[in-house]
């Protein structure tokens, strides 16, 4: 996501430069070469990324709704815009017109938002296919374990990696199906529910 955001920010402000200095939708007062402009954009992108990270935009959760993603991104973009504006006053050699700044900020928000929606859809599609889903075993018995198993089994994104609910012991011995799930099926996550296995039992299970 950091790379995606960085590219989107640079793309947005590059489009803004084209609109201002090439298409000239508003009469020019002073021309700014693109190579000089690109330096200021690269610096701005760095600060945008830092602010996005501070605002938690890289604590990624594909299940967050589009509305919440947009709200979170909008808040971070506004803060980043104000910080960039303040820095542009400090470093006059990297300053650019207010028109470019406003258009670039609006485009950055829209492009980043669209890119993140596309990225999320790709991630969710992969999860449905079991790619990136941790193979999960529930170890235990009782109502709590069964309720948890139903939640995982009925969820479209976790059911692919769900290996099942297993009792820890069967006829006084470690459940062989549990061992098979852990060793042969390659379970990466074990959820213990409703039981408290002893250290000796866990050693027997693992070795």
């Amino acid at each position: 996501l950091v790379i995606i955001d960085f590219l989107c920010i640079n793309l947005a402000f590059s489009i803004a430069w084209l609109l201002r200095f090439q298409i000239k939708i508003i009469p020019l007062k002073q021309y700014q070469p693109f190579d000089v402009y690109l330096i200021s954009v690269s610096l701005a992108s760095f600060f945008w990324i830092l602010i996005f990270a501070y605002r938690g935009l890289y604590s990624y959760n594909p299940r967050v709704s589009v509305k919440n993603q947009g709200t979170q991104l909008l808040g971070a973009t506004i803060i980043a815009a104000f910080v960039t504006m303040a820095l542009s006053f400090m470093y006059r050699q990297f300053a650019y017109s207010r028109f470019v700044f406003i258009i670039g900020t609006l485009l950055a928000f829209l492009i980043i938002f669209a890119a993140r929606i596309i990225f999320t859809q790709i991630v969710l599609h992969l999860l449905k296919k079991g790619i990136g889903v941790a193979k999960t075993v529930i170890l235990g018995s009782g109502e709590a374990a069964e309720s948890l198993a139903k939640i995982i089994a009925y969820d479209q994104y976790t059911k692919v990696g769900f290996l099942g609910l297993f009792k820890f012991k069967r006829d006084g011995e470690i459940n062989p199906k549990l061992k098979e799930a852990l060793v042969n099926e390659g379970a990466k996550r074990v959820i213990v529910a409703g039981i408290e296995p002893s250290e000796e039992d866990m050693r027997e299970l693992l070795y």
Side-chain angles (χ1 to χ4, degrees):
L1 281 176
V2 172
I3 295 174
I4 291 175
D5 289 348
F6 180 82
L7 293 175
C8 288
I9 294 167
N10 281 270
L11 174 61
F13 280 92
S14 296
I15 294 173
W17 182 89
L18 287 172
L19 292 173
R20 183 69 179 95
F21 297 107
Q22 294 298 315
I23 300 177
K24 301 177 183 178
I25 59 178
I26 294 179
L28 288 176
K29 292 183 178 179
Q30 182 179 2
Y31 181 81
Q32 186 175 35
F34 184 71
D35 55 347
V36 175
Y37 173 79
L38 196 59
I39 295 174
S40 62
V41 171
S42 297
L43 288 174
S45 300
F46 174 74
F47 287 105
W48 279 52
I49 296 297
L50 288 179
I51 292 168
F52 282 8
Y54 176 76
R55 296 286 294 180
L57 264 64
Y58 300 119
S59 300
Y60 181 67
N61 181 359
R63 294 174 179 243
V64 175
S65 69
V66 172
K67 180 181 178 180
N68 287 340
Q69 286 188 54
T71 301
Q72 189 179 21
L73 177 60
L74 180 60
T77 300
I78 292 172
I79 294 173
F82 277 113
V83 171
T84 305
M85 186 184 298
L87 291 173
S88 70
F89 291 138
M90 295 173 61
Y91 298 96
R92 292 289 181 179
Q93 65 269 32
F94 296 141
Y96 37 86
S97 72
R98 284 173 292 181
F99 175 80
V100 173
F101 178 77
I102 293 171
I103 295 299
T105 299
L106 290 174
L107 288 174
F109 170 74
L110 294 174
I111 294 173
I112 293 171
F113 187 40
R116 282 175 169 257
I117 291 174
I118 293 171
F119 180 79
T120 297
Q121 292 304 311
I122 292 173
V123 170
L124 293 177
H125 178 71
L126 293 175
L127 290 176
K128 284 183 179 181
K129 290 183 172 294
I131 300 173
V133 179
K135 292 185 177 180
T136 303
V137 165
I138 296 179
L139 175 58
S141 59
E143 185 177 346
E146 291 175 0
S147 296
L148 183 58
K150 287 180 180 179
I151 293 173
I152 296 176
Y154 289 135
D155 186 283
Q156 60 179 331
Y157 301 115
T158 58
K159 66 181 181 181
V160 181
F162 185 47
L163 300 179
L165 168 63
F166 299 93
K167 292 183 177 180
F168 188 68
K169 287 190 175 184
R170 179 177 291 179
D171 299 327
E173 300 291 335
I174 299 295
N175 190 342
K177 290 186 177 181
L178 173 59
K179 278 193 172 183
E180 182 180 346
L182 294 175
V183 178
N184 298 333
E185 298 292 336
K188 300 296 183 183
R189 179 169 58 187
V190 178
I191 301 174
V192 180
I195 62 170
E196 293 184 8
S198 65
E199 182 178 345
E200 183 180 347
D201 288 336
M202 292 305 295
R203 287 180 181 276
E204 184 180 350
L205 174 63
L206 296 174
Y207 303 107

